[in-house]
């Protein structure tokens, strides 16, 4: 397993749409493992393949990734995920490994049902709520080339983009 570099805003690949996965072989399994390892090392609870420059519909999630979390790790891999039902509304504080040192509350559906393939290519379905639902919606946005910044109200988004542009200049 290796830790991969995570692309940072405003890298152009973060704005591209990812393609569905068609090959469920060893290469895909290895990429999923690398994504999980990278997510654990960088301290996130979700990571999408386009964030490491691979435009594939693949995301990994572990709501218990944090070192402080007393529950055992629970790695999940979602390939070609699609939301088939959504309901309710929730406001959850989000961050992103591609947008360092910034968090904001984002409005999401409170409950979702997703259909996806596991890493072997078998179809699965899951119903998720609250943090799990928000996290999946955030990661699915990455597959569409969208960052959580674009889900903020326009004024807030402008402020944030200015601040991030400054940060990028001084780096
Ligand atoms: Ni993200």
């Amino acid at each position: 397993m290796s830790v991969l570099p995570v692309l940072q805003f405003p890298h152009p690949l973060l704005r591209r749409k990812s393609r569905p996965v068609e090959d469920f072989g060893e290469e895909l399994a290895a990429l999923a493992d690398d994504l999980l390892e990278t997510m654990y090392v960088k301290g996130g609870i979700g990571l999408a393949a386009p964030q490491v420059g691979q435009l594939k519909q693949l995301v990994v999630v572990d709501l218990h990734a944090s070192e402080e979390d007393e529950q055992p790790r629970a790695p999940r891999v979602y390939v070609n995920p699609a939301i088939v039902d959504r309901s309710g509304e929730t406001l959850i504080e989000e961050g992103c490994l591609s947008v360092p040192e910034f968090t904001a509350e984002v409005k999401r559906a409170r409950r979702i049902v997703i259909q996806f393939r596991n890493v072997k290519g078998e179809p699965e379905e899951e119903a998720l709520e609250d943090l799990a639902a928000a996290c999946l919606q955030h990661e699915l946005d990455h597959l569409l080339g969208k960052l959580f910044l674009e889900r903020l109200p326009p004024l807030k988004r402008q402020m944030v983009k200015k601040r991030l542009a400054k940060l990028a200049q001084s780096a």
Side-chain angles (χ1 to χ4, degrees):
M1 272 194 269
S2 21
V3 176
L4 307 170
V6 175
L7 303 181
Q8 301 294 299
F9 175 86
H11 196 290
L13 279 183
L14 294 171
R15 310 203 64 90
R16 299 267 305 275
K17 277 192 183 154
S18 291
R19 289 176 299 271
V21 170
E22 285 164 11
D23 281 336
F24 290 84
E26 274 171 35
E27 209 178 301
L28 181 72
L31 178 58
D33 282 346
D34 286 348
L35 283 175
L36 280 166
E37 184 67 10
T38 304
M39 178 186 78
Y40 288 130
V41 168
K42 310 264 182 193
I45 58 168
L47 189 62
Q51 293 181 272
V52 300
Q54 300 252 7
L55 295 174
K56 294 178 179 171
Q57 292 183 10
L58 164 66
V59 310
V60 300
V61 166
D62 188 342
L63 299 180
H64 302 298
S66 155
E67 299 264 303
E68 293 96 67
D69 197 311
E70 289 178 4
Q71 300 212 48
R73 281 180 173 177
R76 304 284 303 135
V77 177
Y78 301 91
V79 187
N80 301 345
I83 296 176
V84 294
D85 194 27
R86 60 177 81 220
S87 60
E89 202 174 278
T90 181
L91 207 56
I92 284 184
E93 185 92 10
E94 296 186 16
C96 180
L97 293 177
S98 294
V99 187
E101 302 185 31
F102 177 74
T103 62
E105 283 189 326
V106 183
K107 207 189 275 182
R108 304 277 189 190
R110 180 182 290 281
R111 284 172 296 273
I112 58 168
V113 177
I114 58 165
Q115 287 177 349
F116 60 100
R117 305 253 162 193
N118 63 24
V119 79
K120 292 183 216 147
E122 298 155 345
E124 292 195 29
E125 186 174 290
E126 266 180 21
L128 301 165
E129 347 182 288
D130 299 317
L131 180 62
C135 184
L136 255 297
Q137 288 169 82
H138 175 118
E139 300 310 327
L140 263 65
D141 272 356
H142 278 299
L143 303 183
L144 298 171
K146 265 187 197 248
L147 295 173
F148 75 115
L149 304 176
E150 285 149 65
R151 299 275 180 203
L152 303 177
L155 212 62
K156 174 116 194 185
R157 188 165 65 219
Q158 269 178 11
M159 268 170 48
V160 170
K161 286 200 167 162
K162 267 188 205 155
R163 215 169 82 198
L164 289 171
K166 256 191 207 160
L167 268 179
Q169 267 177 9
S170 62

